[in-house]
Amino acid sequence: VLAFDIPGCGPRNDLKTPFGVPAIVDDMRAHYARQLEREDNCHHLLISVSLGGMLATEWTRRHPGDFDSMVVINSCATFFPP
């Protein structure tokens, strides 16, 4: 289990949060790249809540191979241009 933190929150609170969902996704994907490496016997499920749901939706739209499935809880259905 890996808990993602956006820049500016949690253990990454010393960083400035990028402006906009796409920029936050870029930062998080780069920061967690090593943890996202694929293993044959591992199912990558992304569970997200609220703002995390918008980030997860954008992440999986732009990088569909990073996760096998996604659960979004209490989030807005906001879509961003490619």
Side-chain angles (χ1 to χ4, degrees):
V1 174
L2 175 64
F4 292 108
D5 287 298
I6 65 173
C9 298
R12 303 183 73 205
N13 69 350
D14 58 330
L15 301 173
K16 184 176 180 178
T17 305
F19 181 76
V21 169
I24 295 171
V25 169
D26 291 340
D27 175 274
M28 291 178 65
R29 188 168 188 258
H31 182 78
Y32 292 104
R34 180 171 211 130
Q35 291 93 329
L36 291 172
E37 291 176 0
R38 304 301 266 163
E39 296 179 23
D40 290 339
N41 62 347
C42 183
H43 181 88
H44 286 194
L45 167 65
L46 179 59
I47 301 173
S48 58
V49 179
S50 192
L51 169 61
M54 290 188 285
L55 296 170
T57 301
E58 176 68 1
W59 189 329
T60 58
R61 184 187 70 77
R62 292 173 47 203
H63 307 285
D66 285 356
F67 299 96
D68 298 311
S69 55
M70 174 178 67
V71 175
V72 177
I73 303 164
N74 287 350
S75 188
C76 296
T78 304
F79 298 96
F80 302 93

